Every structure is written in structure tokens, then in C-alpha cells.
Amino acid sequence: MKRVINLDNWNRKEHFKFFSALDDPFWGITTTVDFTSVYQQSKNMEVSFFLYSVYFLLKCINATTAFKLRIENGEVVEYDKINISPTIGREDGTFGFGFFEYDTDLSLFIENAEKEIHRVKNSAGLSFSKDTARADVIRYSALPWFAFSEMKHAGSIQTGDSIPKISTGKLIQEKKKLLLPISISVHHGLVDGRNIAEFIQNLKDGQNNTL
């Protein structure tokens, strides 16, 4: 489900029109977030850190209103739920695009995600589906082989894309903490710095069970 934002009553109307007219309206940041609790929780529950961390990211994304906004046919819409389209690697070194539907029930989320991982791993090419083309997603890639301090996300400006892109890297051990590199790319007509700050704060609050 989604609702159309009334631009005439939206306090970001001028910001939206200004940034949407730019050749490249996307901007982004790269930072690290303490993911020690997320990692420990996945181990305590004996579940995949990848799937648990994606579930946690989605929980925080859905608590950040700006990340639920999209541009469709010149209108701004807000979805009531955001899912995720991750890249899923195969044994032959290629990857395909998957679709994980967000569910607050962790067990159900993992069960459905594992079915999708099986589908992609047993397919060829980019493994597009009707769900990977949906707008109510976050484009996501996990890069567990290395940490990073900067990243540029691929995108198609001419298609009017407005979907946020998030990538995470290898956990960085810093004393007793595990820091997760995270790169976020968003459409400036929809998302400002304070919105990304809200998302990062949600990542912190979520680990303290205050989200």
C-alpha cells in the first residue's frame, strides 16, 4: 500500500523540485556503525548474521519515513512497508538479484529469505523477477570480503530512479567492538542529511531495544 504526498502542502516541495531537476540528484555517505549487539544476537539465536543483519536493517529502514518515499510518474508516494532486493552470490562467482519481503516475525522472514536465496543460487544471469523490479524496496549489497571507507553506487539517472541503495562491508574489529561499514545513496529530492542521521540513530536505538 502507498499514499500520494500532496506536494502543495509538503514542506519539502521546493527542495523536491530543485533536486529532481539536477542531472544527478543522488548523494550519499559512508560511515561505520557499531554492530556488536547485532552480531552477538545472531550468534545467540544461532541464525545467519547476514539474514539477521538484513532483517535488522529493514526494521530500521521501516522506522525512517524518508526511506519509504519514492517518485512515481512525477508524484511523491510513501509506501507503508519497505522490502529489500539484495544481491546474492553463486558458487561460480556471479550474482543475481533477489527479493526479501519484510516481516516483523524473524522466523518467517528468514524462512522466506532462504527460499529466495535458493531460487537465485539455482538460476543464471541476473535472476530478475517481478518482485526485484518493485519500487517498495531498498537495493542492497553485502561485501563481506573487505571493509571500505568510500563507495560509489551504480544507478540510472535517466530512468527517474529514486530507490535508496545501501551496501555493507566486512566487520571491523576495534577493541571489543565490531564496526560495520555502511554506504548509503539516496535521492536528494526525498532524503536529506538529517534523514540519514535519523536512520543511523535508529540503527543504534534498535540495538538498545528502544526503537
Side-chain angles (χ1 to χ4, degrees), residues 12-46:
R12 285 189 48 79
K13 176 182 178 180
E14 289 190 21
H15 302 72
F16 167 68
K17 289 187 174 182
F18 175 79
F19 288 109
S20 295
L22 299 182
D23 291 336
D24 182 3
F26 274 79
W27 73 282
I29 62 101
T30 302
T31 188
T32 56
V33 179
D34 186 349
F35 252 51
T36 309
S37 295
V38 175
Y39 180 81
Q40 291 178 340
Q41 188 67 15
S42 70
K43 297 306 176 185
N44 292 341
M45 293 188 295
E46 298 182 336

Side-chain angles (χ1 to χ4, degrees), residues 81-93:
K81 183 178 76 171
I82 296 299
N83 309 290
I84 202 161
S85 178
T87 54
I88 298 171
R90 303 189 184 96
E91 293 298 324
D92 65 0

Side-chain angles (χ1 to χ4, degrees), residues 54 58 81-88 96-102 109 112-117 119-120 126-139:
V54 170
L58 269 178
K81 183 178 76 171
I82 296 299
N83 309 290
I84 202 161
S85 178
T87 54
I88 298 171
F97 294 109
F99 172 82
F100 297 170
E101 183 170 5
Y102 176 56
F109 173 79
N112 291 331
E114 287 178 337
K115 291 178 182 177
E116 180 68 350
I117 289 172
R119 180 190 74 82
V120 176
L126 291 174
S127 191
F128 289 122
S129 71
K130 62 180 178 61
D131 288 323
T132 60
R134 289 165 58 161
D136 59 342
V137 297
I138 295 289
R139 306 291 182 203

